[in-house]
Amino acid sequence: MENIAFIINPFSAKRNYQPFLDSLHKEVPEPKFYISESVKGTEDFITEHFDSIDLFVAVGGDGTIASVARKLINTDKILAIFPAGSGNGFSNENNFTKNLNELLSKIKLRNYREIDTFTVNDKISINVSGTGFDGKVVKEFEKTNRGFSNYIKVSIKTFLNYKPIKIKFTSESFKKHDGEYLMLNIANTRQFGNNAYIAPHASTVDGLAEVVLVKKFPLYYGGLFAVRMFSKTLKENKYLTFLSVPEIEFTVDTKDWHLDGEYNRIDSPIRIKVLPKSLRILI
């Protein structure tokens, strides 16, 4: 297990990372690990150990994974994951489980594949990012103790009071999609997390991002939308549009965004650009 570093988010796994650390010490003699205090701390640790580490293991949720991945983009370093978040969308999509022995076996083989990532105004995203309703939900969700039940509560409360966002596309070929929407998502993988599939046809290896435009729908349709999302059967209709693009530009009348589940304020105009095969991930 030489040249391996584990980066642990102490606020993931219900703030109880010690069982993972105990298991790691049992399986790996003198493991190299870092208990992250902040995104900057994670970035500084990777920078400091970049030349001596070949594979970085992110222990946390999608936000933790993204903060590690951003330092590994377009390098020969490999990203591995031990999922410990509330949603674990990126981990689910890339077949990482909470089985440490399985992960260590994969690490010994060092097999990897190269996947796409994308940028939102030069900010890196690896999974699903968005604005509108879900950007506002993430903003409010971060004020809670997290957890799936709190996410549902915040989502319902936000939906009942949320006014649609206005989107205008730059390219003439997309002008027909100008209008008011509940939310806009950019998907590199199929799911937000918790097996909620917002973009059932998204792929990390096709050089395209899936732009998902969702118009505000009546409350009675919400149940059907949820059923289709959790059963991977969302399809285009009068409320839902999918655009598969290598890049796209638009303006939106809100600054509330989430990048891989983490709240961000981003000014328009917005430019989305796919970075093909830019991240090496353990398989």
Side-chain angles (χ1 to χ4, degrees):
M1 287 294 149
E2 295 180 357
N3 306 326
I4 309 296
F6 294 80
I7 298 175
I8 301 170
N9 180 353
F11 302 105
S12 294
K14 298 181 180 179
R15 301 175 182 260
N16 185 17
Y17 64 89
Q18 194 60 49
F20 169 81
L21 204 52
D22 291 342
S23 297
L24 183 63
H25 278 291
K26 288 179 182 178
E27 300 295 335
V28 180
E30 299 182 1
K32 181 181 290 294
F33 65 89
Y34 170 67
I35 309 299
S36 178
E37 298 176 353
S38 64
V39 171
K40 185 179 185 306
T42 293
E43 292 174 346
D44 289 346
F45 175 84
I46 294 173
T47 299
E48 181 180 351
H49 296 87
F50 194 82
D51 292 336
S52 61
I53 300 298
D54 297 326
L55 189 151
F56 292 88
V57 183
V59 183
D62 284 351
T64 304
I65 296 163
S67 68
V68 175
R70 287 170 192 143
K71 295 293 290 183
L72 310 185
I73 297 294
N74 291 323
T75 75
D76 61 356
K77 307 303 179 182
I78 301 172
L79 171 69
I81 300 163
F82 184 89
S86 55
N88 299 317
F90 189 78
S91 302
N92 293 342
E93 290 293 277
N94 288 282
N95 299 313
F96 287 97
T97 67
K98 296 181 179 181
N99 185 318
L100 180 57
N101 288 325
E102 181 181 306
L103 176 60
L104 295 176
S105 295
K106 288 182 177 181
I107 289 174
K108 288 178 181 178
L109 295 175
R110 304 284 180 98
N111 293 325
Y112 67 86
R113 64 189 177 103
E114 295 177 328
I115 67 169
D116 305 335
T117 59
F118 67 91
T119 56
V120 181
N121 284 13
D122 298 323
K123 295 177 180 285
I124 295 287
S125 177
I126 63 172
N127 193 51
V128 178
S129 296
T131 187
F133 170 72
D134 57 337
K136 179 67 172 178
V137 166
V138 168
K139 183 179 182 180
E140 297 304 315
F141 182 56
E142 290 190 349
K143 300 175 184 177
T144 72
N145 293 323
R146 292 186 170 257
F148 187 57
S149 62
N150 280 331
Y151 186 83
I152 295 298
K153 290 176 184 176
V154 169
S155 296
I156 293 172
K157 182 178 179 181
T158 302
F159 181 86
L160 294 174
N161 300 297
Y162 197 73
K163 294 181 180 180
I165 55 174
K166 294 179 181 179
I167 296 173
K168 293 183 178 180
F169 291 93
T170 303
S171 171
E172 286 296 327
S173 59
F174 294 115
K175 283 289 187 182
K176 62 182 178 181
H177 298 296
D178 287 358
E180 295 188 344
Y181 292 92
L182 175 68
M183 60 185 178
L184 174 150
N185 288 286
I186 303 100
N188 187 41
T189 76
R190 299 175 299 169
Q191 64 168 294
F192 287 124
N194 290 305
N195 297 309
Y197 292 83
I198 188 63
H201 305 296
S203 168
T204 58
V205 294
D206 62 357
L208 301 172
E210 194 87 343
V211 177
V212 186
L213 295 165
V214 183
K215 291 185 177 179
K216 189 162 186 181
F217 43 75
L219 189 58
Y220 70 82
Y221 180 78
L224 179 59
F225 183 87
V227 167
R228 288 180 175 174
M229 187 165 60
F230 283 100
S231 61
K232 311 180 193 178
T233 57
L234 279 180
K235 57 185 178 181
E236 286 199 350
N237 56 33
K238 63 181 179 181
Y239 301 119
L240 186 63
T241 301
F242 295 111
L243 305 174
S244 299
V245 296
E247 58 185 284
I248 196 167
E249 295 185 21
F250 57 88
T251 61
V252 58
D253 63 344
T254 179
K255 297 179 182 180
D256 289 336
W257 279 77
H258 77 87
L259 301 182
D260 301 315
E262 300 293 317
Y263 178 73
N264 281 254
R265 285 179 63 82
I266 304 178
D267 293 322
S268 286
I270 303 296
R271 186 186 184 197
I272 310 299
K273 183 175 177 59
V274 175
L275 306 178
K277 297 183 177 180
S278 53
L279 178 64
R280 292 183 175 185
I281 188 163
L282 190 72
I283 56 173

